[in-house]
Amino acid sequence: MPTFDRFTWMQRAKILTAGSFAVILTAPALSVFVLAFSSSNFLTLDIGAPSLRWFLMAAGNRWPIAIITSVVLAALSASIAGVCGSLAAVYRIYGGDKTLAAILDLSVLAVFITPPISLAVGYFRLFGEGSLAALLIGHSVLALPFPYFIVSVGLRSVGPEVLQAAQLMGATDLEIMRRVLLPSVKRFCWLGLALALLSSWDETVLSVFLTNPGTVTLPKEIWENMQRERDLTAAAINAVLSPLLALVLVRLFLAGTKEVPQKG
């Protein structure tokens, strides 16, 4: 009986701790949903009567164009980062050259820890303002570490005997990659793609530095709107897009986990 009691209290403590962290992490996001229905003219705790005025405001001006631009940019940059990061991870694990592998690790890690403002200033000096190619390259570079490191972890879980069996069956290197390695780490590829998509979607600094006044992404438009007007249009957009983005990420995650092979 004492053992059972201790187990029960440990379970309760874990649930309480997890619940506390969940509340702390989600409280700011939930408060934005409340502000989205405010009738106040400004960002204030006094929301007044429920209103849909900010949702109507979000349907006009440049907000729809900013959303479409961010969706296209995130999809393209995540695709580029996913392909390049996955191929780089394959070379990192199975390339054989330890020196180049170490250089590759350090290069990707440098991108991961470098502040986006440093990359933005560098790209601005190289390409100037208004270069969509520079913006796409910058977003892809910032998103690349996610698929690279995640797919690397997945590739390390594939035993060498699997590759040896494929070689004994006469498979070429390309066939091994296409029919053995990639299916084995598919869920890691999907997870890396989801994080790369989220990284690009949320990137503000590069968009502020590298786009001209005629090109707007959603983070840039939110930033400029909060600087100029401080209204709650951004909160209304967040209330609509956050659940949709969460569904997309969950769908990507489930797509990679529903066919996980069972051992034994």
Side-chain angles (χ1 to χ4, degrees), residues 162-226:
V162 177
L163 303 182
Q164 294 172 2
Q167 291 173 346
L168 290 175
M169 295 295 293
T172 63
D173 292 340
L174 182 59
E175 289 174 335
I176 291 175
M177 178 184 296
R178 184 172 59 88
R179 304 181 65 177
V180 178
L181 287 180
L182 292 182
S184 299
V185 299
K186 184 172 66 174
R187 65 186 187 278
F188 295 93
C189 294
W190 281 114
L191 180 57
L193 182 66
L195 292 180
L197 180 71
L198 188 60
S199 172
S200 175
W201 175 265
D202 196 43
E203 178 53 44
T204 304
V205 179
L206 284 176
S207 299
V208 171
F209 271 78
L210 299 180
T211 56
N212 55 33
T215 303
V216 291
T217 63
L218 183 59
K220 177 186 176 182
E221 186 67 14
I222 291 175
W223 168 258
E224 293 181 348
N225 179 264
M226 295 302 294

Side-chain angles (χ1 to χ4, degrees), residues 55-73:
F55 292 92
L56 298 177
M57 288 283 293
N61 298 327
R62 299 197 300 176
W63 292 104
I65 298 176
I67 293 173
I68 294 174
T69 303
S70 288
V71 169
V72 174
L73 181 61

Side-chain angles (χ1 to χ4, degrees), residues 24-56:
I24 293 173
L25 293 174
T26 59
L30 294 177
S31 66
V32 172
F33 282 90
V34 176
L35 291 173
F37 296 92
S38 172
S39 59
S40 174
N41 292 324
F42 303 101
L43 185 61
T44 176
L45 294 178
D46 183 16
I47 63 174
S51 173
L52 297 177
R53 59 178 298 191
W54 301 117
F55 292 92
L56 298 177

Side-chain angles (χ1 to χ4, degrees), residues 99-195:
T99 302
L100 290 179
I103 294 175
L104 188 59
D105 272 346
L106 291 175
S107 300
V108 178
L109 183 61
V111 173
F112 189 73
I113 65 177
T114 300
I117 184 65
S118 300
L119 294 176
V121 172
Y123 283 123
F124 181 78
R125 292 295 299 271
L126 287 175
F127 301 102
E129 185 182 52
S131 174
L132 295 179
L135 184 63
L136 178 60
I137 293 172
H139 276 243
S140 301
V141 169
L142 286 179
L144 187 140
F146 295 101
Y148 174 78
F149 287 119
I150 292 174
V151 174
S152 296
V153 172
L155 290 172
R156 289 190 179 95
S157 66
V158 180
E161 64 277 1
V162 177
L163 303 182
Q164 294 172 2
Q167 291 173 346
L168 290 175
M169 295 295 293
T172 63
D173 292 340
L174 182 59
E175 289 174 335
I176 291 175
M177 178 184 296
R178 184 172 59 88
R179 304 181 65 177
V180 178
L181 287 180
L182 292 182
S184 299
V185 299
K186 184 172 66 174
R187 65 186 187 278
F188 295 93
C189 294
W190 281 114
L191 180 57
L193 182 66
L195 292 180

